[in-house]
Amino acid sequence: MPHLIDSHAHLDFEDYRADLDAVIARARAAGVERVVLIGLWRAPGDFGNALALAAAQPATFAATVGIHPHECAKVPEEDWRAMEAAARDPRVVGVGETGLDFHYDLSPREVQEASFRRSIQAARAAGKPVVVHVREADEACARVLAEEGVPPAGGVIHCFTGDWARARTYLDLGLYLSVAGVVTFKAAGDLREAVRRVPRDRLLVETDCPFLAPVPFRGKRNEPAHVAHTAAQVAELWGTTVDEVGDVTSANARRLFRLG
């Protein structure tokens, strides 16, 4: 059985309220040893319960704290200060997801960029890695990261879906790349070629659940157990075993997030 870490999951979403224990049991049965929960701002004074879940089950969960580009225009200053304070909590392993999303543009682009910069600065001040969301905004994202500088603790482009040229840009900035179920999709040939070429010590695997379930679960609710299918696709691309992919990507996740 592989030893896997799902490096990006949203198990504090309402999608799992009724069956979280069963979801966790299935993850363990599939070889998932740790899950990084992404704690995001939801409403004034509310960052969800990712940190509470991680505190209750530290052997299973770790948590980040962040402000998503979709929501950043709504966040009051007091919640920004609360996020920056939470980032310094020793139980928090990263800042984000933050970044730029020019597909939906749910927040104005200039507000997204300001939020992204402030989040990078918060990660640097806290000594934590930054977790980056980017959609249809790679040029702007790379520019901001180059101008601000990736925090010394590092960072990851979560749910990377680009080609090798985009991968190389982020790798050259010193970032890790994390792939989700998209790598199993029929149309993702450019992504698969990028994964084939990414240095093995710079790749993570994730679900981004409840989104982006891999084949054969595409279109259904995703969950951490399904990261094994993403790892299997990576193993095929690397010409190795799922166990080896699990060992390598889990070591990378532990190094990035300082997981015990």
Side-chain angles (χ1 to χ4, degrees), residues 82-163:
M83 189 278 286
E84 291 162 342
R88 296 190 291 271
D89 187 316
R91 298 172 298 173
V92 168
V93 301
V95 172
E97 59 191 278
T98 179
L100 302 172
D101 192 310
F102 293 173
H103 177 79
Y104 288 108
D105 280 326
L106 296 182
S107 294
R109 293 184 180 187
E110 65 273 16
V111 178
Q112 291 188 48
E113 182 169 325
S115 170
F116 189 18
R117 290 181 185 274
R118 187 166 179 177
S119 296
I120 294 169
Q121 293 160 9
R124 178 179 294 106
K128 305 291 172 65
V130 63
V131 179
V132 180
H133 169 107
V134 57
R135 187 168 185 187
E136 297 179 18
D138 287 286
E139 184 176 342
C141 182
R143 173 179 54 78
V144 171
L145 287 162
E147 290 172 356
E148 291 292 331
V150 174
V156 58
I157 303 295
H158 108 85
C159 193
F160 177 75
T161 58
D163 59 14

Side-chain angles (χ1 to χ4, degrees), residues 23-35:
V23 167
I24 295 168
R26 286 192 293 271
R28 289 175 176 156
V32 179
E33 297 180 340
R34 299 291 294 275
V35 179

Side-chain angles (χ1 to χ4, degrees), residues 28-230:
R28 289 175 176 156
V32 179
E33 297 180 340
R34 299 291 294 275
V35 179
V36 179
L37 304 177
I38 306 301
L40 292 175
W41 185 91
R42 298 184 179 188
D46 182 5
F47 282 84
N49 68 337
L51 184 55
L53 286 172
Q57 300 188 59
T60 301
F61 298 133
T64 72
V65 63
I67 293 170
H68 197 283
H70 288 343
E71 307 293 336
C72 61
K74 307 173 188 176
V75 180
E77 175 60 26
E78 57 265 32
D79 285 356
W80 269 105
R81 292 196 295 268
M83 189 278 286
E84 291 162 342
R88 296 190 291 271
D89 187 316
R91 298 172 298 173
V92 168
V93 301
V95 172
E97 59 191 278
T98 179
L100 302 172
D101 192 310
F102 293 173
H103 177 79
Y104 288 108
D105 280 326
L106 296 182
S107 294
R109 293 184 180 187
E110 65 273 16
V111 178
Q112 291 188 48
E113 182 169 325
S115 170
F116 189 18
R117 290 181 185 274
R118 187 166 179 177
S119 296
I120 294 169
Q121 293 160 9
R124 178 179 294 106
K128 305 291 172 65
V130 63
V131 179
V132 180
H133 169 107
V134 57
R135 187 168 185 187
E136 297 179 18
D138 287 286
E139 184 176 342
C141 182
R143 173 179 54 78
V144 171
L145 287 162
E147 290 172 356
E148 291 292 331
V150 174
V156 58
I157 303 295
H158 108 85
C159 193
F160 177 75
T161 58
D163 59 14
W164 172 240
R166 290 179 178 175
R168 188 169 54 189
T169 296
Y170 292 126
L171 292 167
D172 287 348
L173 286 166
L175 293 155
Y176 289 79
L177 302 178
S178 182
V179 292
V182 176
V183 75
T184 70
F185 295 178
K186 184 177 180 180
D190 287 347
L191 172 59
R192 283 190 286 275
E193 176 59 24
V195 170
R196 189 178 289 113
R197 300 174 68 175
V198 169
R200 296 189 182 188
D201 63 351
R202 302 285 288 282
L203 192 77
L204 280 61
V205 291
E206 64 171 86
T207 56
D208 196 20
C209 63
F211 314 109
L212 299 174
V215 175
F217 304 103
R218 189 173 182 183
K220 300 179 180 180
R221 184 191 71 170
N222 203 1
E223 60 180 71
H226 297 163
V227 79
H229 293 269
T230 297

